[in-house]
Amino acid sequence: MQYYSLGKQSPNVAFKTAAITGQAPDKGLYFPTSIPQLTPEQIERFKTLDKASLAFEVMRPYIGGTIDDVSLQKICKETIDFDFPLVPITKNIQSLELFHGPTLAFKDVGARFMSRCLGYFANAEKKSSYDTTKLASDLTSLQNSNTILVATSGDTGGAVANGFLGVEGVQVIILYPKGKVSLIQELQLTTCGQNITALEVDGSFDDCQAIVKEAFMDVDLNATFHLTSANSINVARWLPQQLYYFFSWQQWVAQYGDNTPMHIVVPSGNFGNICAGMIAKASGLPLGHLVAACNANNVVTRYLKTGNYEVKKSVETISNAMDVGNPSNFVRILEIMQHNFDQLKNGLSSYSYDDEATKSAITRVYNDYGYILDPHGAVAFLAAEALIQEKGYAVILETAHPVKFPEVVEAAIGKKLNIPASVQYLLDKPKQSKPLEANYASFKNWMLGQ
Ligand SMILES: *Cc1c(COP(=O)(O)O)cnc(C)c1O
């Protein structure tokens, strides 16, 4: 299995190169040259297969032999080493809770898989380089070989920091907007130490992202560091996200059997998550309809309605992990749908909701059903209510734990949230961050002066 660039100018590469470089030289996203096809025998067996074996079997073709089987088994096992329960909210709507990982967000799956792959590649190189004449230069290039640079509005930073903590040969630099992430989110990305550095930018998420974008194009920085992005454009982060669609489907068929399709609503921002579901479906996993739930940043919702893809600057909302004006993974969705608008409309629907609707959904779902949604899950719940008018039932992906958005959720349900034991320990750890002005020059000075 190789990967081609959707920019169509760069040569095909193996998984390893795609994972290390993130993006192709022509700035296109990588896409598998063929989508592996599951056999009916596999699908049948998957119904009751343990999660780790299932993950290994699904991911193996995408790795294309660049990681040995024993190591890949270990990577898969570690990646999905927590629960993915399907929990009923109403009679017709269930929640696939993706927030039982270490940073309480679905991004843990992609970040953990990616970090372990890069760690594997860095170590494999080291092991094969005990030629002393080569060693010095290899170690220098290794030190610089993977500097992960990420801008975060909250969730990505924590998941990436946690995923990469202690991974040898990889340095992580996270830019986050000062005062604009929640307490738990900030602690998750500023208390790691070791190979993780948090830069607290005196500006907005857009400022952080602009700095990161400029860094990737900066000739001086790229001569010193091998910069890699850890967002869902990276295939090593994007592709493992399909795994929990399999886990959800296992639980669904156990309840309803084969003949009741599982329709899924995905809170979407950069569209990496839903696009992973679409690739699982394209490989033969029998999923029902897929729905992208969006906040006011609704370029895709509007596109499906009008046929006009009209990019707008992102606006701030309470479901801020979805505040994306121009979703990077949408090109991959078009590729899966063979750039055919009718096929796309058959395979994907989208609904959009504003903050007022989102807040009242959190209140109503808590009052009526005793279930606490986070703002992203609440947008998905609203879309699920629209979908079941036609389809009868739906699963929403609950992408983060409500405690990551305490101000909004506590105001909506009228009570304090309990901090889960798994993140309680963070409250005693000291925050370590480097304040940074919101301009590229300050960032570059800091990088080169390190
Ligand atoms: C990142 C994130 C999303 C959006 O996921 P995409 O893959 O970018 O569409 C939704 N909800 C939460 C909580 C997130 O952290």
Side-chain angles (χ1 to χ4, degrees):
M1 150 97 61
Q2 294 275 105
Y3 291 81
Y4 62 96
S5 165
L6 293 179
K8 304 281 162 70
Q9 304 298 314
S10 302
N12 290 2
V13 296
F15 174 80
K16 176 179 170 177
T17 305
I20 290 175
T21 55
Q23 225 166 338
D26 65 8
K27 305 290 171 213
L29 270 62
Y30 282 117
F31 195 87
T33 45
S34 62
I35 298 177
Q37 294 300 305
L38 300 164
T39 64
E41 175 277 322
Q42 272 178 306
I43 298 280
E44 192 54 38
R45 205 160 37 76
F46 281 1
K47 286 181 183 166
T48 52
L49 197 59
D50 68 279
K51 289 206 312 281
S53 309
L54 177 59
F56 171 71
E57 223 174 295
V58 171
M59 292 312 295
R60 193 171 181 274
Y62 291 99
I63 306 306
T66 58
I67 298 177
D68 68 82
D69 281 355
V70 174
S71 303
L72 183 60
Q73 263 157 351
K74 187 161 173 273
I75 291 173
C76 288
K77 190 157 182 264
E78 287 176 11
T79 298
I80 49 95
D81 186 20
F82 50 86
D83 291 336
F84 299 82
L86 191 58
V87 175
I89 304 179
T90 75
K91 202 154 57 52
N92 311 78
I93 301 175
Q94 304 205 36
S95 167
L96 182 71
E97 296 184 344
L98 298 177
F99 54 73
H100 296 279
T103 74
L104 312 181
F106 82 98
K107 291 192 172 76
D108 282 325
V109 173
R112 278 151 78 95
F113 190 85
M114 178 181 169
S115 65
R116 283 156 180 79
C117 290
L118 292 190
Y120 173 89
F121 294 136
N123 280 317
E125 244 164 65
K126 221 182 345 190
K127 278 193 200 113
S128 62
S129 67
Y130 283 122
D131 166 356
T132 44
T133 53
K134 270 181 71 211
L135 190 59
S137 69
D138 276 3
L139 284 182
T140 320
S141 76
L142 250 184
Q143 262 166 17
N144 297 334
S145 76
N146 289 310
T147 298
I148 306 277
L149 205 55
V150 261
T152 183
S153 59
D155 271 355
T156 306
V160 169
N162 188 284
F164 282 88
L165 181 62
V167 173
E168 261 180 70
V170 184
Q171 187 194 3
V172 178
I173 297 167
I174 299 168
L175 289 83
Y176 75 99
K178 178 179 168 164
K180 296 203 169 63
V181 303
S182 74
L183 173 68
I184 302 268
Q185 287 177 326
E186 182 166 35
L187 290 173
Q188 282 172 337
L189 56 94
T190 56
T191 57
C192 289
Q194 297 186 45
N195 57 331
I196 315 291
T197 306
L199 301 179
E200 185 173 5
V201 177
D202 194 6
S204 65
F205 169 64
D206 283 345
D207 294 329
C208 299
Q209 203 163 32
I211 292 174
V212 169
K213 278 204 176 131
E214 198 163 343
F216 282 116
M217 291 185 300
D218 184 316
V219 180
D220 302 334
L221 275 196
N222 284 283
T224 316
F225 301 94
H226 289 196
L227 300 176
T228 304
S229 96
N231 67 22
S232 54
I233 62 171
N234 193 306
V235 292
R237 197 181 129 189
W238 167 50
L239 289 168
Q241 298 183 142
Q242 67 184 299
L243 294 174
Y244 40 74
Y245 290 84
F246 285 82
F247 304 154
S248 179
W249 167 82
Q250 284 187 314
Q251 298 173 69
W252 182 268
V253 288
Q255 268 181 65
Y256 299 105
D258 277 331
N259 296 323
T260 312
M262 179 177 69
H263 309 298
I264 305 179
V265 183
V266 187
S268 296
N270 244 331
F271 281 66
N273 193 357
I274 195 165
C275 184
M278 291 174 106
I279 211 158
K281 188 173 174 180
S283 75
L285 181 66
L287 300 178
H289 199 62
L290 285 158
V291 176
C294 299
N295 59 27
N297 298 284
N298 59 3
V299 54
V300 173
T301 319
R302 284 182 284 115
Y303 174 60
L304 290 172
K305 204 168 178 175
T306 64
N308 284 333
Y309 197 81
E310 195 194 341
V311 173
K312 287 192 186 159
K313 205 168 144 30
S314 69
V315 295
E316 272 186 40
T317 74
I318 56 169
S319 46
N320 64 8
M322 311 200 296
D323 295 350
V324 180
N326 187 11
S328 15
N329 282 289
F330 196 65
V331 286
R332 284 187 170 134
I333 292 182
L334 293 176
E335 195 75 1
I336 294 171
M337 294 298 170
Q338 299 167 326
H339 298 269
N340 179 317
F341 190 65
D342 291 331
Q343 194 176 334
L344 177 66
K345 279 186 82 155
N346 280 332
L348 178 73
S349 342
S350 180
Y351 299 90
S352 148
Y353 299 93
D354 65 16
D355 281 355
E356 285 318 305
T358 308
K359 284 184 211 164
S360 64
I362 299 174
T363 308
R364 182 163 55 86
V365 170
Y366 179 65
N367 289 341
D368 293 355
Y369 309 106
Y371 190 87
I372 304 177
L373 290 163
D374 96 292
H376 306 78
V379 174
F381 184 86
L382 288 166
E385 285 188 316
L387 183 75
I388 63 173
Q389 300 304 317
E390 193 192 322
K391 303 275 188 192
Y393 34 81
V395 168
I396 66 165
L397 300 195
E398 195 18 310
T399 43
H401 194 292
V403 80
K404 297 188 91 171
F405 307 93
E407 291 83 8
V408 176
V409 176
E410 288 175 354
I413 66 172
K415 70 164 204 177
K416 274 277 196 219
L417 292 170
N418 296 327
I419 296 188
S422 62
V423 291
Q424 188 80 44
Y425 77 100
L426 285 171
L427 301 174
D428 301 325
K429 292 185 116 187
K431 165 181 157 182
Q432 304 170 46
S433 69
K434 153 95 188 115
L436 196 80
E437 282 171 44
N439 62 65
Y440 185 68
S442 313
F443 172 76
K444 184 170 176 176
N445 274 340
W446 178 79
M447 281 293 280
L448 293 174
Q450 268 194 93

